Amino acid sequence: MPSAFSPARTVVFRLHWALGLTAGLVLALMGLTGALMSYEEAITAFANRDRIQISAAQDRPPLTPSALAARIEAQLPGQRVSALTLSGDPLQSAVARFARDRAGGRPPPVYADPTEGTVLGPVRLEAFFATVRDLHRWLLLPGEGKGWGRTTTGACAIALLVFLGSGLYLRWPGRHRWRVWLRPNLARPGRARWWSLHAVAGTWLLPVYAVSALSGLWWSYDWYRAGATWLLTGQALPARAAERAPGGKPPDSKIPEGTSAIDTAWAEFSATHTASLATLSLPGPEAAAAAIRIRWYAPDSNLRNEATYDARTGAGLTDKRAADAALGPRLADNMLEVHRGRFFGAPVALLFCLAALVLPGFFATGLTLYLLRRRAGRRRAPARASLPAEASVQG
């Protein structure tokens, strides 16, 4: 760690530690919650393993989405199913999510047998992870996504980018061998050891934190999302392709008597797509003109695809597949997977999770360096004060 700074480097250095003592604490909290959210699905699946697998015979056909929703609603009066998550595994239960009630609350999702419609129980840990998400996104502050919490976490994401730039600037002027840049020297005493650990870890994880911060701003500021969307897709708003799904019926076609548009859409989707997991939206009576949306994942893929169908007829409207899209639109449609690292594969996702867990360590080492520097300054103060007196005596 240099003992003396130029005026410019002094300003950057003070900005670095000032943000570290403020935004660093929030980033540490966001890192812990983000690491939990990285494997939310796996943790939830383990906690609900007794409800995920069903014992139905494989030759028993699954219910249609409308029939399944009706049976679930019959067992839970007053609740309306707004979405069904269906697995490609016939022995895996479905997940039903509900519309908000009149008070604005949303009932917890439940598991259900897709062949009988029997409710198997609520999704365990749903409330816990809902709190974790709110803490990560807006720090549980009032107003939720429309309050100061969202702005605060967005500002901290910008602060993370400032950390990366200022930290790199403070290291760059020194002419060091690559080992000094990439390997911490834990044998050095005192502040030098903590500085080496802090700086080297930041150098290694700089690309991960840059991607995390740049993708996290997607949900913090509307202007940023609009600009990023334009850069990635060339359009001011998310693309709404007019391409019809293969085999789709004309929008003004009639469906057979007694058949719902949701079932028609699901039948067409099942005949033309192979999905490991699909979430089917069920528009309510107040949104009769809304399209039926199916978000789905192909086997062995973490990238989200989306198909839409006419809410009146079930005719195919659009069919957006990640495999067919260019890199920019693929990033825009899967920004959550980019933020979690899954877009780049399972090993990188694990690296992102570990990097999130390390964020509290940066706050701890930065605070340690600050306290050690303050203590050293207090020790040097008496010696500096005695210098003028000693000089006058000698004169």
Side-chain angles (χ1 to χ4, degrees), residues 1-363:
M1 176 178 171
S3 57
F5 285 152
S6 66
R9 283 169 59 79
T10 299
V11 171
V12 173
F13 177 72
R14 290 180 176 177
L15 175 64
H16 190 89
W17 68 254
L19 287 176
L21 296 178
T22 53
L25 180 59
V26 178
L27 287 170
L29 181 61
M30 293 172 67
L32 292 176
T33 53
L36 276 173
M37 292 167 59
S38 295
Y39 291 95
E40 176 181 350
E41 294 87 350
I43 297 172
T44 301
F46 179 79
N48 294 274
R49 57 192 181 279
D50 58 324
R51 295 176 179 177
I52 289 180
Q53 295 296 322
I54 61 175
S55 58
Q58 293 193 27
D59 57 351
R60 182 181 300 170
L63 297 170
T64 63
S66 61
L68 177 59
R71 293 197 182 185
I72 294 173
E73 291 171 353
Q75 298 170 72
L76 302 171
Q79 300 183 15
R80 183 183 68 81
V81 176
S82 61
L84 289 171
T85 299
L86 305 171
S87 173
D89 184 354
L91 295 182
Q92 195 167 73
S93 57
V95 177
R97 298 187 179 276
F98 303 96
R100 294 186 181 276
D101 54 30
R102 293 183 178 179
R106 191 183 298 275
V110 298
Y111 289 104
D113 188 326
T115 63
E116 296 180 345
T118 305
V119 173
L120 305 176
V123 177
R124 300 188 186 103
L125 297 183
E126 178 69 19
F128 168 75
F129 276 109
T131 302
V132 171
R133 284 192 295 271
D134 292 348
L135 186 59
H136 183 81
R137 294 172 179 173
W138 45 74
L139 306 176
L140 297 178
L141 294 177
E144 298 183 345
K146 298 180 180 179
W148 284 101
R150 179 187 176 197
T151 304
T152 302
T153 54
C156 289
I158 295 176
L160 179 56
L161 294 175
V162 175
F163 282 138
L164 301 179
S166 59
L168 187 62
Y169 173 78
L170 292 171
R171 297 200 77 194
W172 191 262
R175 295 182 178 179
H176 303 304
R177 293 179 300 174
W178 66 268
R179 291 184 179 179
V180 177
W181 274 77
L182 302 179
R183 188 178 66 181
N185 188 351
L186 302 181
R188 300 173 68 184
R191 279 192 297 161
R193 176 197 305 146
W194 294 110
W195 174 264
S196 177
L197 182 63
H198 185 92
V200 171
T203 301
W204 274 104
L205 296 175
L206 188 148
V208 175
Y209 291 141
V211 173
S212 296
L214 291 172
S215 59
L217 288 171
W218 180 271
W219 295 276
S220 298
Y221 303 105
D222 294 335
W223 58 265
Y224 180 89
R225 185 168 189 167
T229 300
W230 183 83
L231 288 174
L232 294 173
T233 67
Q235 301 184 17
L237 295 175
R240 294 183 180 182
E243 176 189 0
R244 280 196 299 119
K249 304 174 184 178
D252 58 350
S253 62
K254 302 297 183 181
I255 59 176
E257 189 71 23
T259 303
S260 72
I262 293 174
D263 294 340
T264 301
W266 180 250
E268 181 176 323
F269 173 84
S270 301
T272 56
H273 300 74
T274 301
S276 61
L277 199 68
T279 298
L280 169 67
S281 67
L282 284 69
E286 71 282 357
I292 299 170
R293 183 176 61 185
I294 301 179
R295 291 180 172 178
W296 60 282
Y297 294 88
D300 302 323
S301 175
N302 291 321
L303 302 184
R304 189 182 66 187
N305 310 278
E306 182 175 306
T308 60
Y309 298 83
D310 189 272
R312 296 168 300 171
T313 65
L317 298 176
T318 66
D319 187 16
K320 295 171 59 177
R321 305 194 186 207
D324 299 334
L327 178 60
R330 200 184 313 166
L331 289 168
D333 290 338
N334 293 274
M335 192 58 67
L336 177 60
E337 305 308 328
V338 173
H339 189 62
R340 299 198 294 183
R342 292 188 182 184
F343 185 90
F344 312 101
V348 179
L350 177 60
L351 176 62
F352 272 57
C353 178
L354 295 177
L357 289 173
V358 172
L359 275 174
F362 282 103
F363 175 74

